[in-house]
Amino acid sequence: MSEKAIYSLVLVLYMGLLIIVGLLTSRKLRNVEDFYIGGRKVGPWVTALSYVAAYFSSAVIIGGGGFGYKYGMATLWIGAANVLFGCTLAWIVLGRRLREFTTRLKTMTVPGFLAERFSAKEARILSAVAIAVFLVVYNVSILKGMGHIFEVLMGMTCAKEDFYLRSAQDYGGKRPREPSLFVSEALDLSPAEIKVLKRSPLATITRHGKANPSPATPIEEELVLLPRGKAVLELSHQKIDDYLICPMKYRYIHVLKVPIRRHHAVIYGYAIHQAIKLYNMNRIAGRKTTIADLKEIFRKAWHTEGFLTRHHEELRFQEGLKALEYFHAHASEDGVIPTYVERHFSFNESSIRIVGIFGRIDVIDGDGTIIDYKTSAVTDEKQAIKRTKESRQLAIYALAYERLFGNTPVRLELRFLTPQVIIGRYEPSEKTIQKALSDIESAATGIRAGRFPADLTYLACTYCPYRSICPAKRSD
Amino acid sequence: MGPFNTPWLTFFAWVVITASVLTSIVWAIFFFKSGGDER
């Protein structure tokens, strides 16, 4: 049975059940009181369940979840206020009093109660109006929530990847037409945000000139009229890097998720990182790590995948052991205890969520240094410094550090295990942060707009793992 | 969420929720045990 059939069946069964209950109970009803408040004979369980069903709506179920995702655990405060005032105090303070009053005054609704209690007709009207006004606003949020649920559960648009809404300025009348409001409402955008493409002058002439059987010149601009939805876009430095190197590569990795065999450098880097991670964590905990421990971790994290030959793998493995020896010697001599190791971070930049993991942060007298270990080769310190300065990852990490700790890190470091340890140091400036921001912005804009053209520069294309399947690849 | 987003205050919110729920349950048990509004 298809998903749609199941959903339809559930809805039909539910509606049917409601009708049956209605028909069966209609015979027992004697007056309005029976219909609205069950003749005042409803027990505790039914009262509690119907209260919860009425009180907790999509505002809580969807809104609360969304809020929690966006703002974190502090969202609990909304729940706390609701439970304390809306449930506990409402019942303990108001529950019995209201019940006794309404029984005595023979009313069923809050406006009715207010009118009878204070012998004032105006109270009934005023409270009824207040309820009517606010229920409209409230219902909008609930209907919108329900709409989202239906959209997600049933894929109401049926569009899998792209969904085009088109409109024309010229339908043959005298005035140019605006895009229908439906477009802006459907996409949750203000009408001003919808860009209207200008026709080329040639197309205009063709349209207004004499009947011309040849088709008008096609519009050459890219046909991306509308930005994608405003949902939070989650990006890591890796994703941003992939996009800025080649948008087409980003599409293969993160949109289409085309699986590829892992590159041997990834296996090597991963195993080394695992060993370093253990070393630094032990350092924080005040435990000693021997070279044998490091080698053991390295061996365990090693996978036989992607190497060119058996001999190549053995060579790389031995190189890794050597690099760890150098690392161990360097770290013992250095003696600095890291402040954070493998610290996760996430922060929101307008509607982009940037996530990542700091490999290591050293904070000495309030001065932070962000350190990342690299297994790629550099020949000397000059090259290491150049790589550090150019590192998009470190620039984004500097921004993350600033957002998290409120001040800019004083130093960014890449430590290359080549196998000797070569360190590239760099002091980030306002320019570094601005660069990171503009990189994030340009990647996010492109990804949101669904623009994934291939970048055919030599470096991007020649070393791309998707080269063999990419139709746009460079031919040289 | 500004000043509310600290671990301790978040924990406090959780305490408020738990305390409210427990109070409600205890109150309801006593209320209905003693005959509800029929008294």
Side-chain angles (χ1 to χ4, degrees), chain A residues 181-247:
Chain A
L181 272 180
F182 168 77
V183 176
S184 61
E185 281 170 9
L187 297 171
D188 216 1
L189 294 168
S190 80
E193 280 175 274
I194 294 173
K195 291 177 212 143
V196 177
L197 278 189
K198 284 252 165 67
R199 246 178 322 160
S200 70
L202 199 59
T204 311
I205 293 168
T206 318
R207 168 79 183 84
H208 292 289
K210 284 191 177 161
N212 189 343
S214 71
T217 318
I219 298 166
E220 295 216 337
E221 284 109 317
E222 218 178 328
L223 270 171
V224 178
L225 306 185
L226 305 158
R228 288 279 157 96
K230 278 185 175 165
V232 173
L233 178 66
E234 194 173 281
L235 291 178
S236 61
H237 82 84
Q238 196 64 57
K239 279 185 174 176
I240 293 166
D241 217 43
D242 287 338
Y243 187 83
L244 295 179
I245 286 174
C246 173

Side-chain angles (χ1 to χ4, degrees), chain A residues 71 74 77 80 83 88 96 99, chain B residues 5 9 20 24 31 37 39:
Chain A
Y71 297 110
W77 277 104
V83 173
T88 307
R96 186 161 66 197
R99 162 86 192 205
Chain B
N5 206 357
L9 281 175
S20 299
S24 300
F31 181 74
D37 67 328
R39 293 178 306 137

Side-chain angles (χ1 to χ4, degrees), chain A residues 253-295:
Chain A
I253 302 176
H254 305 289
V255 181
L256 301 176
K257 300 190 164 70
V258 179
I260 37 167
R261 198 164 74 151
R262 276 192 291 177
H263 194 262
H264 57 81
V266 176
I267 308 285
Y268 180 83
Y270 175 77
I272 291 269
H273 271 103
Q274 290 308 104
I276 293 176
K277 182 174 147 189
L278 172 91
Y279 183 90
N280 283 332
M281 282 181 159
N282 277 349
R283 203 72 187 267
I284 291 183
R287 284 191 294 266
K288 260 198 154 353
T289 317
T290 61
I291 293 189
D293 295 336
L294 286 185
K295 289 182 176 174

Side-chain angles (χ1 to χ4, degrees), chain A residues 334-340 360-371 401 407-411 413 415 425:
Chain A
D334 180 36
V336 180
I337 295 171
T339 315
Y340 301 104
R360 169 177 173 178
I361 296 177
D362 290 0
V363 183
I364 299 167
D365 299 332
D367 290 340
T369 304
I370 300 174
I371 298 169
Y401 185 95
N407 57 344
T408 320
V410 292
R411 222 176 1 258
E413 268 188 35
R415 297 191 175 179
R425 289 198 177 87

